[in-house]
Structures are given as C-alpha cells and as structure tokens.
Amino acid sequence: MDSSLSFKSGLRDVLPTVFGYVGVGLAMGIVANTSHLSVLAVLLMSLIVYAGSAQFIIISMLLAGSPVSAIVLSTFLINSRMILMSMTVARYFKRDSLLQNIGLGTLLTDETFALSMNKLNVTDQKLRPTWLHAANVVAYLVWAAATVVGCLLGNLIADPDQFGLDFAVVGMFIGLLYLQIITDRSKPLATQAEVVLFVAVCMFFLMRFFPGNIALLIATLLGCGFGMVVSPK
Amino acid sequence: MNAYILITILLCGLVTWLSRVIPFAVIKNMTVPGWLINFLSFVPVAIMTAIFVENLLVYHAGHWPTFNLPNIYASLPAILAGVLTKSLLAVVITGVAAMALLRFVGLG
C-alpha cells in the first residue's frame, strides 16, 4: 500500500480483501441454496442489502418465517455499526459533493472502511473519492458474484469449509488491525494496546448477555470512550 | 421468489442504506466538534478488535461464551505472518492455509 489515491491504486489495495469476500460469499450462497432461496433472490439480496453477516441472519429468519418487522429490526441492529464507520470516514470527504458522499456511503463495508483507515496512515491523512469508489465497486461486484456462484454450486460442494476459506475474513481483520496499530502514528502504541485489551475483555463479558453482533457495537462504543479517557492530553 | 421475500429484501436494504448514507450527509453539513473527532478516532482500532474477538468466541444464550479454538489456532500463524511481512495478503493466505490444515488433520 503506497500513498497513491488513484482509481488504479484503489483496485490494487482492495485485492487482498477479495479473498474474504469470495470465501464468505460462497458460503452465503451455499447456505441460501440449502435454505431453498432462488438465485434471483440471492442476487437481489447481495445487490440491495449488501451486508455479509446481516444476509446470513435474513436467510435464517426467512427460513423460519419470521415477521418482516423482526427481520428488518435485526438487520438494522447488526448494521448499526455502519453508522459509526460512515461517520468516521465521512470526515475525510467533507469537501466533496453530496452526491459523491452518498455514492461512497452506499457501498461502504467493514472491509473498505478498515482499508481506508489503513490508507490514511500512508497518505498523510488524506482520502479521495476515486480511490474509495474503486475499492468499493470491486468489493460490491465480487460479493454479488461470489454469493451467486455459491448458490449455483450449492449442490456440488458439500463442505466449503474444508478449504479454510471461511477463515479468510478473520485473517483479513487480523491483518487490517495489525497494520492499523503499527502504522497509525496519531496515537501512542501503548494507548492503542490498552484499547485493544479493553475491547477484547468487554467482548467476553458482553457476549455473556448479547449475541456477537450487538456485543460488537456496545464494545466499540465503550472502547472509544475508554480511548478518550486513557489517551495522553 | 414471493412477495414476503421481496419486501423483506427491499426494507432490509433501505435500513442498511440509511445507516450507511445518513452519517455522510450529516457530517458533510456540520462542523464536527473536537470531542466527537477524538471519540471517532478510536473507532478503527476498537471496531476491528471487536470484530476479531467476536470470531474467537462462540455465543451461547444465557451462558458465558466459549472459545472458538480452530479460529484461535489459525489466528496464531496469521498474526505471525503479519509481524514478519506486514502484508495483508500474506496474513489472509497464511490464515486460510492454516485453517485448511487444521481441518485436514481433524482439529478444525
């Protein structure tokens, strides 16, 4: 990853995350297939909802025949972390048009958000719409394609996990988190380590009472507050 | 695909889109106060840690979470790859290979 913010460099930077999208997308398509969802429904869901973990929940709730209102509420809760990520990344696009901002927000994901935060550390705290659009669009198309292929292959591959592809997304966040910690010079390493430990401990205690997705949101909010308190003034 | 599925997809898409887009519109039209900038500056490290740790635990309603041992085992070589190469791609490939190996030997 270098300091270039061109379209081409966006394509290059997003490449490592593609593995994560392919792994999870295939798995989602296969789950959808075994839940008797049509290829068209899978494609529409990936294009319109476009949210990894939420799509798994939606499929399982559709299969269970849950009321639409309950599915929509669950989706909102799982994806409410997007509000925090969008707010964080939006600061760097204040001078760009509202239309550009809406375009960037529409396709922002956990992965392209994390990638942007990594990128800031090598570009002197700058981002450009072209660069993020490139990353976003690649992620969007790869996700849609992977879920559709997964759905089509559903009957052929009994156990996609045997190739370890389900770990791609975890591996990606390990890499993104590590690179974030070592390249973010705006905060002392000790402060970052304290936030990491605090959030990890919070997650363990919160998951006694809440499912992972909700625990994740609360732990992030607590972690940001904790960071403000412990960072040197 | 019936109306139930279609309406669910459309409404879920709408709430997700609003969660993504409204913050962009709000931040664009306001002067972000210093405390909020400070608060948000911790979002990357906090949220990435939370996503990572979520994958190392297994939720059981009404009980303490247990450890996802295969993910924890596969994380170790992945972290090592990060320290050694500082390359995102190397971390992902090492992690996937480690997980495939764990499954192959029956530990995954």
Side-chain angles (χ1 to χ4, degrees):
Chain A
M1 192 179 282
D2 56 28
S3 61
S4 162
L5 284 165
S6 64
F7 191 82
K8 217 174 131 188
S9 133
L11 297 181
R12 200 175 47 235
D13 291 340
V14 79
L15 211 63
T17 70
V18 163
F19 286 85
Y21 288 105
V22 170
V24 182
L26 283 176
M28 210 216 74
I30 292 167
V31 170
N33 178 282
T34 54
S35 308
H36 310 295
L37 231 58
S38 68
V39 175
L40 180 64
V42 169
L43 178 65
L44 282 180
M45 196 185 289
S46 294
L47 292 178
I48 296 174
V49 184
Y50 187 40
S53 44
Q55 285 181 228
F56 278 103
I57 304 287
I58 294 171
I59 291 171
S60 65
M61 289 181 84
L62 281 175
L63 190 65
S66 308
V68 176
S69 56
I71 306 180
V72 174
L73 181 65
S74 304
T75 303
F76 173 72
L77 287 175
I78 293 166
N79 288 336
S80 50
R81 67 178 188 281
M82 294 306 307
I83 298 172
L84 276 174
M85 289 190 262
S86 284
M87 276 176 90
T88 307
V89 84
R91 286 206 293 123
Y92 302 95
F93 297 101
K94 273 180 80 99
R95 289 200 201 138
D96 297 295
S97 71
L98 184 62
L99 199 66
Q100 286 277 21
N101 274 271
I102 289 175
L104 291 168
T106 301
L107 295 185
L108 191 73
T109 64
D110 293 353
E111 289 81 358
T112 58
F113 162 78
L115 207 59
S116 303
M117 296 299 111
N118 274 199
K119 190 74 177 179
L120 281 171
N121 298 320
V122 294
T123 60
D124 203 16
Q125 303 294 306
K126 283 188 199 59
L127 288 176
R128 293 232 324 263
T130 353
W131 177 83
L132 187 51
H133 281 314
N136 275 346
V137 169
V138 169
Y140 186 59
L141 296 179
V142 169
W143 173 252
T147 53
V148 165
V149 170
C151 192
L152 291 170
L153 292 180
N155 301 320
L156 302 176
I157 306 173
D159 182 18
D161 287 359
Q162 64 174 308
F163 304 111
L165 273 178
D166 56 317
F167 190 77
V169 80
V170 186
M172 198 176 56
F173 279 106
I174 291 174
L176 288 167
L177 174 62
Y178 178 72
L179 294 174
Q180 181 64 27
I181 292 170
I182 60 166
T183 55
D184 183 357
R185 308 213 191 287
S186 68
K187 300 184 194 321
L189 200 60
T191 307
Q192 302 207 62
E194 283 163 18
V195 173
V196 168
L197 274 177
F198 177 82
V199 171
V201 172
C202 278
M203 281 300 287
F204 185 81
F205 283 95
L206 287 166
M207 278 178 74
R208 169 70 176 77
F209 306 100
F210 306 98
N213 281 301
I214 306 299
L216 187 159
L217 183 68
I218 305 172
T220 301
L221 291 170
L222 291 174
C224 292
F226 175 82
M228 285 173 81
V229 174
V230 298
S231 62
K233 294 291 173 299
Chain B
M1 187 170 53
N2 54 34
Y4 166 59
I5 294 178
L6 186 63
I7 290 169
T8 302
I9 290 175
L10 289 176
L11 289 177
C12 289
L14 182 67
V15 293
T16 305
W17 183 68
L18 292 175
S19 307
R20 283 177 163 135
V21 164
I22 288 177
F24 272 87
V26 171
I27 293 286
K28 171 146 181 66
N29 294 308
M30 75 181 247
T31 314
V32 187
W35 66 264
L36 185 58
I37 292 180
N38 192 7
F39 183 86
L40 293 176
S41 73
F42 288 98
V43 168
V45 73
I47 210 162
M48 287 184 224
T49 304
I51 293 174
F52 174 42
V53 175
E54 185 198 355
N55 282 291
L56 302 183
L57 298 171
V58 183
Y59 171 73
H60 305 284
H63 296 274
W64 287 100
T66 52
F67 293 105
N68 184 329
L69 289 176
N71 276 1
I72 291 174
Y73 294 148
S75 293
L76 299 175
I79 294 170
L80 186 67
V83 174
L84 292 177
T85 65
K86 297 186 174 48
S87 150
L88 186 55
L89 195 57
V91 176
V92 173
I93 291 174
T94 306
V96 168
M99 184 54 92
L101 190 67
L102 283 169
R103 297 250 161 81
F104 183 72
V105 300
L107 286 171

